[in-house]
Amino acid sequence: MSIQLLVTDRNLNTLGALDGWTRVSCDRNHSKPAAGEVKLPAWPGNMELLQPGNRLVLIRDKAIWCAGPLEEPQSPYTWDLEQNAGVGTVTVRWTDDLGRIAGYLTYPNPAVDFESQTTTSDVQRTFTSVNSETIIRTLVDENCGPGALAARQIEQLVLDTAVGVGTNRTLSTRFEPLLDACRTAAVGDGLGFRTRQEGGQIKFGVYAPVDRTSTARFSAGLGNLRSVSFTSGAPRATAELVQGGEDPAQQPAEGEPANERVYVEINSGQAADWYRVEKLVEQSGKTDANGELTQAGVLALGDDNAQASLSTVTVDTEDLRAGRDYDLGDLVAVVLPTGLEIADVVQTIRLEATPDEGELVTTVVGNNDRTTLTRTVWTIRDLAYRLGQIERR
């Protein structure tokens, strides 16, 4: 095991290394910000590095595993006289650079600042029949990348090389969380997106999941599977009732036609196995029934489908190693002790390590986040989404 923890400033200049760490864990997530935590002694050299605005870079076997800003540089610091704690200990929490992108909204007109945005409520940033990879890259570029206003640019963020994936689709967005808009563009093609630090740059890129089921296989017989936990539950919705068009509560100007609603129903096909569960998806201001409204319904089904996930504790071997032979978003195969073989997308790769016990790699395969996110987090995310829908009207 070879793990190194470096601290950089926001321009990626190395400030120093964190010494004496006792435990480190890091969840890298498919198209979502990472979550890392490290515990270490509160030595003056460490505390000097753990300052707001700095970044943490976790290097595993000479390759960057996860890099991004400190979210909680010193949370908490503890010291206890009775336990002879010395200088005490400090816990540090950080994310990857996708976490910074997650802090931005989509401006209707990204070329001007917030106070200069138009007051017309129905003005949106619209893409009509544009490649989904292009939409995602453009949204990031113009809101926080090199093409954004100087005050909104993330230091050293550039667009990675385009890989030519995705199909044409339509998307409109207005003051929506930036990553939510990116997920909407990605959902129809199953695309993912991520950041990676290379040299003095943070590269944002889009990728298509790779089918590695013939090479990335986990089973007890192969010696790379320690344990399996499978969960399943009823869908939160089997019918997404998408309501678009103009809000009837907003009266049209004199001489203008009356506001009209557009309705689209997207079904998962799971009602036959379970039962029908309906959910209203509000999309005021959007009228493309076969484009944006359908996409919104498909995206909602991604969260509301039958809740099945497979959490596996795996062991790196010479033949199969996380980050080298398979990665986030890849399609892998898991052979259960019952003989059933499951193929699904890698949603999370968790690395845990201590100096004495070494490394443990855990993968989460499937479409459910309950293994990594609390229901409170999902409730807050859903509330933020609903508020965003209100703000876009």
Side-chain angles (χ1 to χ4, degrees):
M1 177 186 70
S2 174
I3 288 181
Q4 187 179 17
L5 301 174
L6 301 180
V7 175
T8 77
D9 62 17
R10 63 184 61 205
N11 289 304
L12 279 60
N13 299 307
T14 301
L15 303 178
L18 296 176
D19 297 322
W21 59 272
T22 57
R23 179 175 294 275
V24 62
S25 64
C26 181
D27 288 358
R28 294 170 52 225
N29 300 308
H30 176 48
S31 298
K32 297 176 184 177
E37 178 178 295
V38 58
K39 295 183 179 180
L40 65 161
W43 295 334
N46 287 337
M47 300 300 280
E48 183 179 352
L49 294 172
L50 301 177
Q51 300 300 321
N54 287 345
R55 301 168 66 256
L56 194 151
V57 182
L58 190 161
I59 299 176
R60 182 196 187 206
D61 295 338
K62 300 181 180 180
I64 295 177
W65 178 265
C66 179
L70 299 177
E71 290 191 303
E72 298 180 24
Q74 301 176 26
S75 179
Y77 164 77
T78 59
W79 179 86
D80 191 327
L81 176 62
E82 294 184 359
Q83 296 183 10
N84 191 25
V87 295
T89 61
V90 63
T91 298
V92 184
R93 296 183 177 90
W94 87 100
T95 184
D96 60 7
D97 292 300
L98 202 59
R100 285 201 65 184
I101 296 175
Y104 285 76
L105 301 179
T106 57
Y107 278 17
N109 182 0
V112 299
D113 61 23
F114 179 75
E115 294 183 346
S116 302
Q117 299 295 316
T118 178
T119 57
T120 305
S121 63
D122 61 353
V123 172
Q124 300 182 348
R125 179 66 173 101
T126 300
F127 301 86
T128 303
S129 191
V130 177
N131 172 267
S132 53
E133 179 188 12
T134 301
I135 293 175
I136 296 169
R137 288 166 57 87
T138 301
L139 285 172
V140 170
D141 180 39
E142 64 188 18
N143 283 286
C144 62
L149 296 173
R152 302 185 74 205
Q153 292 179 9
I154 294 176
E155 297 84 357
Q156 313 308 319
L157 178 65
V158 299
L159 296 181
D160 210 339
T161 303
V163 293
V165 294
T167 58
N168 287 355
R169 56 191 60 253
T170 297
L171 181 139
S172 295
T173 180
R174 181 177 187 271
F175 296 128
E176 181 181 8
L178 177 53
L179 289 191
D180 282 357
C182 290
R183 292 188 191 101
T184 300
V187 64
D189 298 312
L191 302 182
F193 44 85
R194 59 192 165 206
T195 56
R196 62 187 182 95
Q197 179 178 326
E198 183 177 79
Q201 294 180 319
I202 300 167
K203 295 186 175 182
F204 173 87
V206 181
Y207 62 92
V210 178
D211 186 345
R212 302 191 188 278
T213 52
S214 62
T215 57
R217 301 177 63 82
F218 301 96
S219 72
L222 293 173
N224 57 13
L225 184 64
R226 284 192 179 179
S227 66
V228 172
S229 175
F230 181 74
T231 62
S232 65
R236 290 191 289 268
T238 62
E240 304 290 350
L241 309 181
V242 187
Q243 179 177 254
E246 301 303 326
D247 189 343
Q250 297 180 354
Q251 297 298 322
E254 186 175 351
E256 294 292 328
N259 292 335
E260 294 185 358
R261 282 293 199 181
V262 180
Y263 300 95
V264 175
E265 179 174 336
I266 305 297
N267 288 281
S268 67
Q270 296 179 345
D273 294 329
W274 294 91
Y275 34 76
R276 182 176 175 89
V277 183
E278 299 175 341
K279 178 181 176 182
L280 181 66
V281 180
E282 175 59 47
Q283 294 286 298
S284 291
K286 299 180 179 181
T287 59
D288 185 353
N290 296 318
E292 294 177 285
L293 299 184
T294 296
Q295 288 173 213
V298 172
L299 184 65
L301 280 180
D303 291 336
D304 295 333
N305 273 333
Q307 303 302 293
S309 71
L310 178 68
S311 178
T312 64
V313 178
T314 64
V315 181
D316 275 352
T317 65
E318 290 298 323
D319 297 325
L320 188 60
R321 187 174 178 83
R324 185 192 70 185
D325 303 305
Y326 71 94
D327 214 330
L328 294 170
D330 287 346
L331 192 68
V332 300
V334 180
V335 181
L336 303 182
T338 60
L340 176 67
E341 181 174 316
I342 296 177
D344 213 326
V345 171
V346 176
Q347 296 289 347
T348 297
I349 301 178
R350 179 177 179 83
L351 171 66
E352 296 181 272
T354 66
D356 297 330
E357 299 173 0
E359 297 179 353
L360 180 65
V361 177
T362 306
T363 61
V364 176
V365 180
N367 65 351
N368 179 28
D369 294 281
R370 286 187 297 180
T371 50
T372 55
L373 295 177
T374 67
R375 299 309 307 165
T376 301
V377 172
W378 273 110
T379 300
I380 293 173
R381 182 181 181 276
D382 186 60
L383 176 60
Y385 176 80
R386 291 171 185 270
L387 290 174
Q389 298 298 311
I390 295 174
E391 290 300 319
R392 293 208 303 272
R393 295 181 187 176

